[in-house]
Amino acid sequence: LGGGDNGYARAMGVVNIPIAQDQFAIRLGATRREQDGFTANTFGGDDLGGQQVTAYRIASAWTPSETLRFDLLLNQHEDDN
């Protein structure tokens, strides 16, 4: 968690979930970042320069043997600046 000037706020989190010891696991992660705009919009509307970012990630690892491993990654990223 973090914060700062111009309404800046950030939160991040990760969790590891072992399903089958030393063979299969899942990792979930997420982040959110926001900041108010800092330049006046002379045409009306919200101030310019603000941020609203959200991201998610799911990763899985399957190790059926000592010499073989499969990884699957899924990412979602939304950026509303």
Side-chain angles (χ1 to χ4, degrees):
L1 296 174
D5 293 345
N6 296 320
Y8 179 78
R10 182 174 183 178
M12 297 173 25
V14 176
V15 63
N16 295 312
I17 305 168
I19 306 296
Q21 187 173 0
D22 298 328
Q23 287 190 346
F24 187 71
I26 295 175
R27 181 178 182 138
L28 307 171
T31 186
R32 175 75 177 164
R33 186 175 67 235
E34 295 183 3
Q35 185 172 17
D36 297 335
F38 49 86
T39 302
N41 185 348
T42 58
F43 296 104
D46 294 336
D47 288 345
L48 304 174
Q51 299 180 34
Q52 290 183 347
V53 178
T54 304
Y56 306 98
R57 181 175 183 173
I58 300 171
S60 63
W62 176 40
T63 310
S65 71
E66 291 183 15
T67 58
L68 186 61
R69 176 179 165 153
F70 296 96
D71 293 307
L72 176 65
L73 303 172
L74 303 171
N75 290 306
Q76 170 69 32
H77 182 96
E78 297 176 15
D79 194 341
D80 297 324
N81 291 326

